[in-house]
Amino acid sequence: MAEPSTLLSYLFVMSITPGPNNLMLTASGVNFGVRRSVPHMLGICFGNAIQVLLTAALLATISAWIGELRWVMAMVGCSYLLWLAYKIGQAGAPERRDLARPLNFWGAALFQAVNPKAWVMVINTAILFMPRDGRIAAAVGIATVSAAVALPCVATWAWGGERLRQLLQRPAALHAFNLTMATLLAATAVWLLVDEYHIRFGAS
């Protein structure tokens, strides 16, 4: 198994860089603040830790299964991202603010099952960092470390969103921000789906 410092570095880079989770958390921080976004953050960490645990513990069996279902999960996940992008884009409209609410713990946790970036991180983590004897204790340890590393990373994005909130007091400015975030999230979904298409069908 690789050195612990390598595991920490890999998990940090994958958790702190932009992706569906972090874009959604930035928008949540702007619209609802860090406190109301805590269930969303915890759900991401919990869901991701369960992914790591199951994938690492059942690597030999699950790898083939994930390969078969990867394209289906990518389509489901990216469709959900496009729907979320639409909801985020609408959140800045004053007449619709009363309909908006942050993603809850279980919603965020379950989203990890169809989040393409999360699966890339999880499968690579299991392949690269599980010991050859495949002990369950090692899988539990890696999953725990993954959650511990992810929490401050995702919290940074929600906190950054809350700081932006102070600059977006005007409804028009908030709406423009949400439209920007929605566009970025939609573009992320399309990019991930195209990438999965190339992997699945070998398009050039």
Side-chain angles (χ1 to χ4, degrees), residues 157-171:
W157 286 80
W159 178 85
E162 187 175 67
R163 299 285 75 76
L164 284 173
R165 189 180 191 181
Q166 301 171 7
L167 303 175
L168 300 172
Q169 295 299 314
R170 292 185 299 109

Side-chain angles (χ1 to χ4, degrees), residues 29-199:
V30 166
N31 289 283
F32 309 111
V34 171
R35 185 179 63 82
R36 292 186 64 192
S37 300
V38 167
H40 188 167
M41 291 186 281
L42 294 178
I44 289 172
C45 297
F46 176 79
N48 189 249
I50 294 299
Q51 276 182 299
V52 172
L53 175 61
L54 293 177
T55 306
L58 304 174
L59 180 60
T61 302
I62 207 172
S63 290
W65 179 69
I66 291 300
E68 291 298 318
L69 291 183
R70 180 169 174 153
W71 172 244
V72 175
M73 290 191 302
M75 288 192 293
V76 172
C78 291
S79 296
Y80 182 58
L81 287 180
L82 290 172
W83 180 81
L84 284 174
Y86 169 76
K87 297 296 287 185
I88 290 171
Q90 294 297 305
E95 67 274 12
R96 297 183 64 87
R97 289 285 289 166
D98 58 327
L99 300 179
R101 58 183 179 182
L103 197 62
N104 63 29
F105 176 89
W106 291 113
L110 291 173
F111 172 64
Q112 303 318 301
V114 292
N115 181 352
K117 183 186 176 186
W119 277 112
V120 169
M121 186 195 80
V122 165
I123 293 173
N124 285 341
T125 298
I127 292 172
L128 295 172
F129 300 106
M130 271 294 286
R132 293 184 181 276
D133 56 13
R135 292 169 296 170
I136 296 297
V140 172
I142 292 173
T144 302
V145 171
S146 176
V149 171
L151 184 57
C153 292
V154 297
T156 298
W157 286 80
W159 178 85
E162 187 175 67
R163 299 285 75 76
L164 284 173
R165 189 180 191 181
Q166 301 171 7
L167 303 175
L168 300 172
Q169 295 299 314
R170 292 185 299 109
L174 180 59
H175 194 134
F177 171 82
N178 284 330
L179 287 176
T180 300
M181 296 305 295
T183 301
L184 288 173
L185 189 59
T188 299
V190 171
W191 179 82
L192 288 169
L193 193 58
V194 169
D195 190 54
E196 288 296 325
Y197 180 87
H198 281 267
I199 291 173

